[in-house]
Amino acid sequence: MVPKRGSSKGREETERKSSGTARKSPIVLPLVLAYLIPGAGHVYLKRHWHGLALLAAISGMFFCGILMQGRMFVPTSGNIYTTIMTYGGYIGDLCNGLLYVLTVGLGYEQETLPGALHDYGTKFIVCSGLLNLLAVVDVFEIVSGEKAES
Amino acid sequence: MLELSHLQVAILFALLASIVMGVVGRSSDRARVRYGLYCFGYFIGAVFVLGWLMRIGHG
């Protein structure tokens, strides 16, 4: 039996069809946007407030790290501890996407300074990258249909 | 240059990380707010517990 147009069953079917269409939407573009600009993937998927909250929190953490004169990691090979620390930190920094590229491209460079605050700044920069990675994974879950909005 | 105390840095980190975890961690807005507050509470709780443990440990 074909549900009547405008009935609740008909609306459900239309919504199901439209969500099926959303699943077929390109998966790469929102992921790339989410990686490059924190929250942009969510904005692209019409979740504007979520995107803005992510942009404020992730870029806020990144810029607080910069204001604390945090250091960007440079991958260095040495003993196992140094290698894991510097490569891991470098990957975390890279996860910031355009924020990292622009900051380094504009010539931000920070030598190691005494005091805990600069060290916190370094960790803030890495953590903002890791949080951006969480946002990218969230975008992937939304696009692949694994995460349904209720 | 940002001049913050250890506690202020910890609270700032807890706040910003909780916002992200709240947004990505749940699928309805009410649950997001609750989960964000839950994470923030646990972050702050951990700061105080670990702070006191270090204080007691150092004597």
Side-chain angles (χ1 to χ4, degrees), chain A residues 11-24:
Chain A
R11 273 199 302 274
E12 280 170 20
E13 195 167 334
T14 313
E15 279 168 15
R16 204 168 56 239
K17 278 181 184 170
S18 64
S19 67
T21 315
R23 265 187 223 116
K24 286 174 194 162

Side-chain angles (χ1 to χ4, degrees), chain A residues 67-69 117-118, chain B residues 1-3:
Chain A
L67 287 172
M68 289 181 217
Q69 295 182 306
L117 196 65
H118 314 297
Chain B
M1 174 69 187
L2 209 58
E3 289 288 349

Side-chain angles (χ1 to χ4, degrees), chain A residues 67 69 117 120 147-148 150, chain B residues 1-2 6 24 27-29 32:
Chain A
L67 287 172
Q69 295 182 306
L117 196 65
Y120 289 148
K147 189 177 183 183
S150 58
Chain B
M1 174 69 187
L2 209 58
H6 297 283
V24 304
S27 51
S28 75
D29 284 343
R32 281 190 181 96

